[in-house]
Amino acid sequence: MDKRTRLASQALVAISAHVAMAMPSGRDLQMWRQELRDLLPDCEGCPERMVPVKASAEWLVAASGATEIANALARLQREVKVYYALTAGHRIEIWRECKREVAA
């Protein structure tokens, strides 16, 4: 993954997590939707476990109308939770493996 994709992917996760937790509305939400719109093209080739977050962000960017935007926000919130659960599990496994190597 090149630097641009890596940075865009990290920004995608950070923005998605913020939007999922803060649930901004009005102008704040529009600003975050525009930031996502701008960076999503650079997220092509992002890590596989990020694909559902990326797809949810794309849905949020494309959404129109209050109901569709609310549904897109709910989906993004769900996918961010799953992403961080998977990431936590992955990092715990890496830590355990390192711990075993040190003990051996």
Side-chain angles (χ1 to χ4, degrees):
M1 175 181 338
D2 66 15
K3 181 178 181 180
R4 187 171 172 167
T5 302
R6 181 176 50 80
L7 293 172
S9 297
Q10 290 171 348
L12 170 64
V13 170
I15 292 169
S16 296
H18 170 69
V19 169
M21 289 187 295
M23 298 299 281
S25 60
R27 293 174 71 166
D28 286 341
L29 179 57
Q30 288 307 105
M31 181 211 43
W32 290 120
R33 289 176 71 199
Q34 183 59 51
E35 293 296 340
L36 288 169
R37 187 177 290 113
D38 292 345
L39 72 85
L40 280 165
D42 286 341
C43 292
E44 291 304 318
C46 68
E48 179 130 357
R49 86 172 157 253
M50 288 180 59
V51 170
V53 173
K54 180 179 173 283
S56 296
E58 290 169 337
W59 191 28
L60 177 60
V61 165
S64 62
T67 301
E68 196 172 324
I69 290 171
N71 289 340
L73 284 168
R75 179 179 173 192
L76 182 65
Q77 190 175 47
R78 242 184 349 267
E79 295 302 344
V80 166
K81 287 179 183 178
V82 169
Y83 171 80
Y84 275 105
L86 291 172
T87 299
H90 177 72
R91 291 185 181 177
I92 288 169
E93 285 302 313
I94 291 171
W95 168 75
R96 287 183 178 150
E97 184 177 310
C98 180
K99 188 176 173 182
R100 283 190 294 271
E101 289 172 2
V102 169

